[in-house]
Amino acid sequence: MNIHSGDRHLASAGHLDTLYKRVRALLVFFIVALALSGLTALPLEWEVDLLNRIVSSSPLVTLWPAMVAWIAHVNEGLQYMYRHYPFIAYGTDWLAFAHIVIAVAFWGPLRDPVKNIWVIEFGMVACMLVIPLALICGPLRGIPFYWRLFDCAFGVFGIIPLWLCRKFVLQIARLEQFAPRNS
């Protein structure tokens, strides 16, 4: 690895601690966002009903009627399903569980980001895979294109903190060659 003499100075000037703090802040943000995203699957019936009531009396009715109609359609389907086939909601319970379990995996990089960079890279791959999933399975399930783009945004915005983490972790690994951390 090509190490510049300035790297020794940065490592000794507390730059490592700054990088560790950045990585941990980004990982905590990602863990919380991932867990909260999953937890929203549990009260889905209530959330979509509330969203339906909000958008049906908002300017979206005239600005984006297709979106209002889609939300009303989803709400109707969920209400029917919960009333007649509540066991199907068990799938969204597992979706919430999966989000939480994946979030727990990021505790490894939180404790030792250099050793567990693979978890960050795994998360980045998972974020990238959101896009083909939404674009392939969405049409098969009758999901409107604009909603699939909304789903794709989870992957696009999720990869940003992970990409920054990976960048900082690689800097940490390079700098720690000269100033091993005592913690």
Side-chain angles (χ1 to χ4, degrees), residues 31-52:
I31 289 167
V32 169
L34 185 59
L36 287 177
S37 171
L39 289 173
T40 62
L42 294 174
L44 194 58
E45 178 185 25
W46 174 81
E47 289 170 336
V48 174
D49 187 55
L50 178 63
L51 179 63
N52 183 53

Side-chain angles (χ1 to χ4, degrees), residues 109-124:
L110 198 57
R111 293 178 65 200
D112 188 344
V114 175
K115 181 180 175 184
N116 294 299
I117 193 171
W118 69 272
V119 177
I120 295 167
E121 293 169 341
F122 160 80
M124 292 172 69

Side-chain angles (χ1 to χ4, degrees), residues 60-178:
L60 274 179
V61 172
T62 54
L63 295 173
W64 200 354
M67 176 64 86
V68 174
W70 170 249
I71 292 170
H73 180 65
V74 170
N75 186 48
E76 179 185 340
L78 276 174
Q79 297 299 325
Y80 186 84
M81 182 202 67
Y82 274 85
R83 201 168 34 255
H84 298 286
Y85 308 104
F87 57 87
I88 294 175
Y90 194 49
T92 56
D93 298 341
W94 279 102
L95 173 69
F97 176 74
H99 276 75
I100 293 165
V101 168
I102 294 167
V104 168
F106 282 88
W107 287 357
L110 198 57
R111 293 178 65 200
D112 188 344
V114 175
K115 181 180 175 184
N116 294 299
I117 193 171
W118 69 272
V119 177
I120 295 167
E121 293 169 341
F122 160 80
M124 292 172 69
V125 170
C127 286
M128 289 186 284
L129 290 174
V130 166
I131 295 168
L133 176 79
L135 297 178
I136 293 168
C137 295
L140 298 174
R141 305 291 185 218
I143 309 298
F145 183 71
Y146 54 83
W147 197 266
R148 286 181 262 151
L149 293 179
F150 178 74
D151 290 337
C152 289
F154 282 96
V156 172
F157 290 114
I159 203 169
I160 293 169
L162 295 178
W163 177 80
L164 288 169
C165 273
R166 183 178 183 278
K167 176 183 161 187
F168 296 146
V169 170
L170 291 174
Q171 288 176 12
I172 290 168
R174 189 180 77 224
L175 293 173
E176 279 187 339
Q177 292 179 10
F178 297 104

